[in-house]
Amino acid sequence: MTMNRELKLYNSLTREKEIFEPLHPGYIGMYVCGPTVYNDVHLGNCRTFMSFDIIFRYLKYIGYKVRYVRNITDVGHLLDDGEDRILKGAKADKLEPMEVVQKYSNGFHDMMRLFNVLEPSIEPRASGHIIEQIEMVQAILDNGYGYIKNGSVYFDTLKFAKEKGVYGQLSGRVVEELIAESRDNLKNQDEKNHPADFALWMKAAPEHILRWNSPWSVGFPGWHLECSAMSTKYLGETFDIHGGGNDLKFPHHENEVAQNVSACGHAPARYWLHSNMLLLNGKKMSKSDGNTVSPTELIEGASVHMSKAYSPAVIRFFMLQTHYRSTLDLTDEGLQAGEKGYRRLMEGMKALEGLTPSADARPGALDQELNELVEQAFQEMDDDFNTPKALARLFDLVTRINSLAGGHLPLAEVSGDTIERLKQFFRDFVFDVLGLKDDSQAGDTGTAIIDGLMELIVDMRKDARDRKDWAASDKIRDSLKEIGVQLKDSKEGTSWVIE
Ligand code: AMP
Ligand code: ZN
């Protein structure tokens, strides 16, 4: 589908809503900072990637060709105590660093699939782009914004801020404040000329096994560098949209801009989009504070914070009810309300599918109102991807659809074309743009539980047969048959089908 729609985006760089103009007509380059893969993702991380998934889906839906790059951080992201996150994960799990990276990348991808988050166009890993990062450090040194100390290379923030005047633009802080506050997670703080400087390349201590050769030392790149190097490689020196959670604005994104300006002479992205945090009990959901809910916990009903299980589609719907730039508190009540809303939407769609246009339709005001509501839902999305308001328009439509289905509104006032348009609109908007799934028949949770139970029953029957307890084995088979489940024995083992 191609639509000529005017999009307004809130740009963190200018702190204003701006009319979006792509660099190249019909094409958008978008970079979003991905996860650091050293432990399981929590629902807060998932919210951020769902927010950008909606943005990706909507941009594509309105006709843009989008190159969406979302990286995997597998080197250089240090903890507050200066320890490398991947190495910490490796120690905790007794694995090779790259095994840790693989394990948690797989886990991250599983969660993304669970929530129906589309795969990005490119998913580069920091450790696969060491050469590009070394080249960028060299360019920054050549241009005079870096200095070498004992084999490590640091960014000269003060010089950059004075000469370029753009440091602090993104986070909205004045340079003096930044400098007073600034502290990064480096063990070798004393090597830096100034506290606000940050590492571009770190010389590896002997025990640091994630290490590569470079012109300066055997070491590893600083965390901020990977995104500058990889966005430049895959999207060019200037591209359209850069996104991430708003906790990354400072220092990560601010330093990314500084690196790009120093190496390439200009800022990387024209529009910076920042999504807001998922909270638990009013506080940012965060692993280091120990207040997280994992997606699997919530889906299996095993979270101590919640009274019951919620399906992935319900959780996604719950997230969509809040605008991506607002904080969202994860609560049982909120999820229950979300579940009700989600069911109402699915039921409304079923009622719509059941509507057959009247043969002698004379479209009137109602027909016009339905078409206007469809257009308004698009307008809400055009206005900085306002999913809660778009959903409100969808529910306005559901109210009318239910009335039409119940005979409280005259179907004869709606044209066949409008009914067809509504059906198409709901399918596209709910499934393709919002990325929801209908979990009502074989819900994701239900299917997993049934699979698990059947595996258990088949195992128990096998045990009975091994004991030559034919009475028990037959009872299991016959009882299952009574409820419509047929067991099939073969050389490979026992399988089952629902009749
Ligand atoms: P990390 O793996 O820590 O680099 O985080 C991956 C992404 O999750 C980043 O874009 C963070 O901004 C985002 N994130 C972390 N905590 C939360 C939260 N509580 N709510 C929403 N996004 C979060
Ligand atoms: Zn990044």
Side-chain angles (χ1 to χ4, degrees):
M1 173 186 296
T2 312
M3 290 190 210
N4 222 350
R5 306 201 65 92
E6 187 176 271
L7 267 181
K8 281 189 238 113
L9 310 186
Y10 181 86
N11 190 350
S12 311
L13 200 59
T14 54
R15 275 172 284 286
E16 272 175 23
K17 235 183 232 176
E18 295 175 18
I19 293 176
F20 174 70
E21 283 174 28
L23 265 173
H24 309 285
Y27 165 84
I28 294 176
M30 176 162 92
Y31 187 94
V32 171
C33 294
T36 306
V37 281
Y38 75 113
N39 56 19
D40 291 320
V41 283
H42 56 68
L43 273 165
N45 306 128
C46 295
R47 181 188 183 202
T48 287
F49 300 118
M50 275 190 241
S51 297
F52 286 99
D53 182 52
I54 298 289
I55 292 174
F56 179 39
R57 284 168 177 271
Y58 191 63
L59 295 175
K60 287 205 302 181
Y61 184 71
I62 61 173
Y64 285 105
K65 185 174 180 334
V66 186
R67 181 174 292 164
Y68 176 24
V69 182
R70 189 187 66 204
N71 70 302
I72 295 247
T73 295
D74 61 356
V75 65
H77 194 179
L78 308 182
L79 290 154
D80 278 347
D81 62 4
E83 190 177 7
D84 186 296
R85 285 173 197 237
I86 303 296
L87 294 182
K88 184 190 164 93
K91 262 189 225 153
D93 291 0
K94 298 198 172 52
L95 294 172
E96 272 291 305
M98 283 303 135
E99 277 182 293
V100 169
V101 166
Q102 192 65 54
K103 175 178 168 186
Y104 293 109
S105 299
N106 292 348
F108 167 65
H109 291 142
D110 289 345
M111 292 308 117
M112 293 299 101
R113 264 193 298 277
L114 194 66
F115 289 119
N116 204 20
V117 172
L118 296 178
E119 287 166 2
S121 329
I122 305 177
E123 190 174 53
R125 276 192 194 179
S127 66
H129 296 77
I130 300 295
I131 291 171
E132 289 82 352
Q133 295 182 75
I134 289 175
E135 281 170 1
M136 196 163 234
V137 176
Q138 193 58 58
I140 295 170
L141 280 170
D142 292 347
N143 292 335
Y145 294 105
Y147 58 89
I148 306 165
K149 282 272 179 79
N150 303 324
S152 292
V153 186
Y154 296 97
F155 188 84
D156 193 338
T157 308
L158 268 198
K159 181 176 178 204
F160 175 80
K162 273 192 210 130
E163 290 183 9
K164 298 287 183 184
V166 292
Y167 198 72
Q169 208 176 40
L170 195 57
S171 48
R173 307 179 198 199
V174 289
V175 176
E176 289 70 23
E177 253 180 59
L178 287 177
I179 289 167
E181 279 176 31
S182 187
R183 183 182 68 89
D184 59 23
N185 312 330
L186 302 181
K187 279 183 179 144
N188 321 25
Q189 292 286 352
D190 48 343
E191 280 182 2
K192 299 195 294 184
N193 287 347
H194 195 280
D197 296 349
F198 55 92
L200 297 168
W201 185 264
M202 293 284 289
K203 179 177 171 178
E207 70 278 10
H208 198 106
I209 48 178
L210 276 172
R211 46 168 65 214
W212 291 266
N213 285 325
S214 81
W216 315 287
S217 63
V218 177
F220 58 96
W223 169 40
H224 315 303
L225 192 64
E226 60 174 276
C227 292
S228 288
M230 296 191 291
S231 66
T232 306
K233 176 165 172 125
Y234 296 111
L235 296 172
E237 285 183 9
T238 314
F239 55 94
D240 298 290
I241 298 174
H242 195 311
N246 69 0
D247 55 342
L248 298 184
K249 251 189 219 172
F250 184 81
H252 185 55
H253 290 162
E254 195 72 66
N255 291 349
E256 238 186 276
V257 175
Q259 291 167 157
N260 279 70
V261 172
S262 304
C264 314
H266 43 84
R270 298 181 349 137
Y271 301 87
W272 285 82
L273 269 49
H274 286 101
S275 56
N276 218 322
M277 296 292 109
L278 183 70
L279 315 179
L280 184 65
N281 301 321
K283 262 182 65 200
K284 177 187 166 186
M285 188 175 283
S286 147
K287 196 100 184 174
S288 50
D289 293 338
N291 65 324
T292 58
V293 174
S294 84
T296 32
E297 252 177 10
L298 192 54
I299 290 160
E300 286 164 9
S303 168
V304 292
H305 301 279
M306 306 298 158
S307 63
K308 62 192 268 310
Y310 295 97
S311 79
V314 166
I315 299 168
R316 185 166 170 122
F317 180 89
F318 163 77
M319 303 262 189
L320 293 175
Q321 283 179 305
T322 301
H323 188 244
Y324 79 93
R325 279 195 293 111
S326 303
T327 54
L328 167 63
D329 219 334
L330 185 76
T331 61
D332 208 20
E333 301 76 59
L335 283 161
Q336 280 177 25
E339 186 159 47
K340 276 205 191 106
Y342 168 77
R343 299 269 170 250
R344 189 160 168 253
L345 182 60
M346 291 300 127
E347 291 306 317
M349 285 181 74
K350 279 188 199 115
L352 173 62
E353 292 297 340
L355 288 186
T356 357
S358 156
D360 54 352
R362 275 175 292 108
L366 177 60
D367 191 279
Q368 196 182 339
E369 190 188 22
L370 293 172
N371 281 295
E372 275 167 11
L373 282 168
V374 168
E375 174 52 24
Q376 283 167 15
F378 281 113
Q379 284 170 4
E380 300 298 1
M381 288 300 283
D382 294 339
D383 185 11
D384 199 25
F385 314 102
N386 200 324
T387 52
K389 285 196 176 168
L391 278 175
R393 299 292 80 76
L394 256 60
F395 281 115
D396 289 342
L397 282 164
V398 164
T399 306
R400 283 154 186 79
I401 288 163
N402 289 340
S403 298
L404 284 167
H408 308 299
L409 278 176
L411 201 54
E413 284 183 19
V414 186
S415 76
D417 281 355
T418 297
I419 300 228
E420 275 320 301
R421 183 175 181 221
L422 277 181
K423 288 182 182 173
Q424 194 60 48
F425 163 74
F426 266 87
R427 282 182 219 131
D428 288 354
F429 206 84
V430 172
F431 298 135
D432 296 346
V433 175
L434 301 180
L436 293 169
K437 279 184 178 176
D438 183 0
D439 71 358
S440 61
Q441 278 115 34
D444 313 34
T445 325
T447 311
I449 291 174
I450 290 172
D451 286 347
L453 286 174
M454 281 310 300
E455 202 177 298
L456 178 71
I457 294 171
V458 167
D459 260 349
M460 285 168 67
R461 179 164 167 270
K462 184 175 178 296
D463 289 347
R465 283 160 66 108
D466 289 347
R467 287 195 311 272
K468 301 203 186 326
D469 184 351
W470 309 116
S473 142
D474 289 350
K475 182 166 186 221
I476 291 173
R477 193 197 53 219
D478 296 343
S479 306
L480 283 173
K481 193 155 176 44
E482 264 171 41
I483 57 164
V485 181
Q486 199 191 342
L487 294 184
K488 289 184 177 168
D489 295 315
S490 71
K491 277 202 288 285
E492 282 76 42
T494 304
S495 61
W496 58 275
V497 284
I498 296 177
E499 288 173 317

